[in-house]
Amino acid sequence: MATVIPFKAVRPTRDKVSLVASRSYQSYTQDELEARLNYNPFSFLHIINPGYKYDKQVNGKERYNLVRNRYLEFKEDHIFIQDKTANYYVYKIVNRNGNVFSGIIAATSTEDYKNDIIKKHEDTIECRETIFKNYLKTVGFNAEPVLLTYPDNDIIANIISKVQKERAEFEFTTHFRDTHYLWIIDDIKSIETIQEEFETIKTIYIADGHHRSASSYLLSEELKSENKLHTGKEPYNYFMSYLIPESDLKIHEFNRLVKDLNGLSKEAFLIRLDTMFRIENRGLDLYKPNKKHHFSMYLDGEFYSLYLRKSNYKFNNALDALDTQILYKTILKPILGISDLRKDNRINYSYGKNDLVTVKSKVDYGEYAVGFGLVPITIEEIKAIADEGLTMPPKSTFIEPKLRSGITIYEF
């Protein structure tokens, strides 16, 4: 049963939250970073990019220590405050497309991760796990929750709905026109009810944040081994998560782009495809697939529909039924010679929010020879993969919501 507990969040003050909150560091262009660092002294980017203060690039342990120092300065200057009691936090995002995401920010158990109560569907890279584990150990906090999803629960939903009728502690809109809200659940009855309801849930699933989850687990094991008085109740036994019901999750596809046809002519390539797919030339009409095992292909100025010949393909498990795996097993590896989807620089990805117009333009400009469009993977497919202990090919899903850093912070 899932252990989901309240915690004492460190938060920006109400008047500064919109200035503090930041996207993931990698999502900013260099110009955007410089603008925010130059003109916004309250941005969380100052904490995670501490060398800016000294006009110096810093890395490794030196950077981790400076991150810790900047964080403490934000607390000393009362930009951040810490709640005096352990709370749950209702967090809601309404994005520019009208999608609404509502869930609970809480602390989740590293033991649940170890025992497969919190299940994953992606592989993690060991060196990245270790790097982030060392970072967490030095800085002593986590500022971006892992995105988890759980089966819809009426009792939790009713509490969330009731809380949202009150004035939000935080309400701010980003320049992307996404509006963020945060409410505090601090009454004992609601806290007990939420905790009890999560204890009835057998499995929750990682939607986004596999490396952060793995690193938090590694850190808990390390600190446990160093603590002779370990009880299991220490903050390092938990990590901050944003838990939303499955019905709120928004999953987009990642389309594929390949730089060349692996030495094949267009005609030879199409003939090779014919073994596994029923092919129809759609000409200039932008074809977007709308069923599982149907694919769109853009090649030499024309769209094609590709329908899998199921009689020629074996479905041995949940992974084999996944469209990203089908594309890999039938085209990318055997025909285009792409074995390593993580390292081969001949393949690139375009998430579905950019749609097939992006794929078409990149092929038309000669950056790539061929592009493939897919339908989004469903939450049922994600759960089936996780339940069978399998992992998806990289870039199988682009999942919303995407969370901001620095709105709630978990210390350990």
Side-chain angles (χ1 to χ4, degrees):
M1 307 305 173
T3 301
V4 178
I5 65 171
F7 70 102
K8 299 177 183 178
V10 175
R11 303 181 284 110
T13 55
R14 188 198 296 263
D15 62 319
K16 294 184 177 66
V17 62
S18 63
L19 298 170
V20 170
S22 72
R23 307 196 311 267
S24 65
Y25 188 80
Q26 294 79 10
S27 69
Y28 290 95
T29 66
Q30 190 60 39
D31 287 344
E32 286 178 317
L33 279 174
E34 290 180 3
R36 280 158 177 77
L37 291 168
N38 282 332
Y39 300 111
N40 180 5
F42 302 110
S43 173
F44 191 76
L45 293 170
H46 282 284
I47 294 177
I48 57 177
N49 186 23
Y52 177 81
K53 182 176 181 179
Y54 303 106
D55 194 25
K56 178 186 176 184
Q57 185 74 32
V58 290
N59 296 294
K61 186 72 172 179
E62 182 183 31
R63 173 176 172 263
Y64 304 164
N65 286 323
L66 288 175
V67 167
R68 176 71 178 169
N69 292 343
R70 293 294 85 72
Y71 173 67
L72 293 176
E73 287 171 5
F74 269 50
K75 292 183 72 176
E76 291 161 1
D77 293 341
H78 305 293
I79 299 167
F80 286 144
I81 57 173
Q82 184 166 28
D83 290 323
K84 298 184 184 301
T85 60
N87 309 312
Y88 289 116
Y89 302 88
V90 170
Y91 191 50
K92 176 182 175 182
I93 303 171
V94 181
N95 72 12
R96 56 187 164 182
N97 298 318
N99 295 317
V100 179
F101 310 97
S102 286
I104 292 175
I105 296 176
T108 47
S109 168
T110 56
E111 279 295 304
D112 284 357
Y113 179 85
K114 176 183 178 180
N115 295 327
D116 218 23
I117 293 171
I118 296 175
K119 290 190 174 182
K120 64 180 183 177
H121 63 266
E122 288 183 5
D123 274 332
T124 51
I125 301 170
E126 186 175 352
C127 66
R128 284 184 61 189
E129 293 176 12
T130 302
I131 288 170
F132 194 59
K133 182 263 294 180
N134 293 336
Y135 169 83
L136 291 175
K137 187 175 183 180
T138 301
V139 303
F141 68 85
N142 197 343
E144 183 180 345
V146 171
L147 180 62
L148 301 179
T149 188
Y150 61 91
D152 287 36
N153 179 291
D154 289 340
I155 293 175
I156 296 175
N158 287 336
I159 293 174
I160 291 174
S161 178
K162 181 181 177 181
V163 168
Q164 289 181 348
K165 293 177 181 177
E166 302 171 2
R167 182 195 179 194
E169 177 70 15
F170 292 156
E171 178 181 349
F172 66 95
T173 300
T174 71
H175 71 283
F176 283 163
R177 292 179 292 173
D178 300 335
T179 303
H180 297 247
Y181 306 83
L182 183 134
W183 294 263
I184 300 171
I185 298 180
D186 55 6
D187 68 284
I188 295 174
K189 184 177 179 181
S190 294
I191 287 174
E192 289 177 346
T193 301
I194 291 170
Q195 192 163 348
E196 288 168 1
E197 284 304 306
F198 276 115
E199 287 173 355
T200 69
I201 297 175
K202 294 182 179 180
T203 308
I204 52 182
Y205 296 84
I206 300 173
D208 193 16
H210 284 79
H211 282 91
R212 278 172 282 142
S213 304
S215 299
S216 296
Y217 167 68
L218 288 178
L219 178 63
S220 69
E221 291 292 292
E222 184 171 312
L223 293 178
K224 179 169 66 175
S225 69
E226 295 173 357
N227 184 4
K228 294 180 180 179
L229 301 177
H230 173 81
T231 65
K233 301 294 185 182
E234 296 85 358
Y236 60 70
N237 294 290
Y238 301 89
F239 58 96
M240 184 171 63
S241 295
Y242 177 43
L243 300 105
I244 68 172
E246 292 172 3
S247 59
D248 271 15
L249 209 62
K250 181 69 174 176
I251 307 172
H252 301 276
E253 71 277 16
F254 263 107
N255 298 317
R256 271 65 174 143
L257 289 151
V258 182
K259 289 187 175 180
D260 58 66
L261 298 183
N262 198 28
L264 298 170
S265 65
K266 171 184 172 181
E267 292 74 19
F269 178 59
L270 290 171
I271 289 171
R272 291 283 301 274
L273 290 182
D274 194 79
T275 302
M276 297 300 298
F277 295 92
R278 177 182 171 185
I279 306 171
E280 184 176 341
N281 188 325
R282 303 280 181 149
L284 299 178
D285 294 336
L286 192 151
Y287 172 70
K288 184 176 177 64
N290 57 17
K291 292 177 64 176
K292 277 177 61 64
H293 313 330
H294 288 190
F295 303 86
S296 171
M297 181 175 72
Y298 186 68
L299 173 68
D300 194 26
E302 296 179 308
F303 281 97
Y304 296 80
S305 58
L306 306 180
Y307 299 162
L308 181 69
R309 299 186 191 275
K310 296 180 183 178
S311 58
N312 291 350
Y313 184 86
K314 290 185 178 181
F315 296 93
N316 297 311
N317 52 41
L319 179 60
D320 286 339
L322 206 66
D323 282 348
T324 51
Q325 181 72 355
I326 290 170
L327 193 69
Y328 173 69
K329 290 182 68 174
T330 60
I331 301 177
L332 298 180
K333 184 177 181 180
I335 300 177
L336 295 178
I338 298 173
S339 298
D340 191 332
L341 293 171
R342 295 183 184 277
K343 296 181 180 179
D344 197 315
N345 60 15
R346 295 171 55 229
I347 188 168
N348 207 342
Y349 305 89
S350 174
Y351 66 84
K353 287 179 69 176
N354 289 340
D355 67 42
L356 289 173
V357 173
T358 301
V359 173
K360 178 181 184 300
S361 64
K362 287 181 179 293
V363 173
D364 286 344
Y365 280 112
E367 296 177 50
Y368 299 91
V370 62
F372 299 96
L374 299 83
V375 297
I377 287 169
T378 65
I379 183 59
E380 288 75 23
E381 290 177 294
I382 290 175
K383 291 167 64 175
I385 293 287
D387 289 344
E388 292 184 26
L390 303 170
T391 54
M392 295 183 180
K395 301 294 186 182
S396 287
T397 57
F398 181 89
I399 295 179
E400 291 185 293
K402 294 298 181 187
L403 305 176
R404 298 266 163 161
S405 296
I407 297 175
T408 57
I409 297 172
Y410 181 76
E411 292 187 341
F412 39 80

